[in-house]
Amino acid sequence: QVQLVESGGGLVQPGGSLRLSCVASGSISSIVALGWYRQAPGKARELVAYITKGGATSYGGSVKGRFIISRDDAKNTVDLQMNTLKPEDTAVYYCNAGGYYSGAYSPAYWGQGTQVTVSS
C-alpha cells in the first residue's frame, strides 16, 4: 500500500500562483509514476500532469505551459507549481501514484484531495 498526503491548496486570485505538494509513504518502491488529477464540481476527473521515475512529464491540454510538475525521490514528494491561474482551474486536486505502461500512466493510489479555488 501507498499513502499520499497533499498540502498547499487554498484561495488565490486569477493570475496568481499556488504550489501543491504531496508526500508518499508506504510501499513506494513499487511506484513508477506520480501525478495530479483534478475534479471540478459537476465535471469528470481529469489528468493535470504526471511524471515518471525517469523524469518524463505529460500535461493536460488546459494546463500546459502554466503548470510544472516535479518530484524529489529523496523526499518521496511530488509538487505541482501552478502559475497564471484561472477561475476554471478551481477544483479538488488529487495526488496519485502508480505504474507507467506502454506510454500510459495508470494511477493505483490516491490522496484525499486538496481544494484549489481561483476567484477574485
Side-chain angles (χ1 to χ4, degrees):
Q1 288 292 327
V2 174
Q3 294 77 44
L4 302 167
V5 179
E6 304 101 334
S7 61
L11 173 65
V12 62
Q13 293 187 342
S17 298
L18 206 61
R19 188 177 184 89
L20 304 182
S21 185
C22 174
V23 180
S25 61
S27 303
I28 55 178
S29 61
S30 64
I31 298 304
V32 176
L34 296 163
W36 293 88
Y37 273 68
R38 69 185 182 186
Q39 186 166 23
K43 294 189 177 181
R45 192 171 291 189
E46 65 171 345
L47 173 70
V48 177
Y50 69 81
I51 183 168
T52 69
K53 187 170 285 188
T57 59
S58 182
Y59 295 89
S62 61
V63 308
K64 196 174 295 185
R66 298 188 297 123
F67 291 11
I68 301 171
I69 190 170
S70 60
R71 63 187 287 170
D72 186 334
D73 290 337
K75 297 179 180 179
N76 298 323
T77 59
V78 58
D79 291 352
L80 185 69
Q81 177 65 42
M82 305 185 293
N83 302 317
T84 318
L85 283 160
K86 305 175 181 180
E88 50 265 42
D89 294 318
T90 295
V92 177
Y93 284 70
Y94 297 91
C95 175
N96 38 76
Y100 184 70
Y101 312 105
S102 301
Y105 174 44
S106 179
Y109 304 99
W110 295 80
Q112 292 296 311
T114 185
Q115 176 70 46
V116 172
T117 303
V118 184
S119 175
S120 55

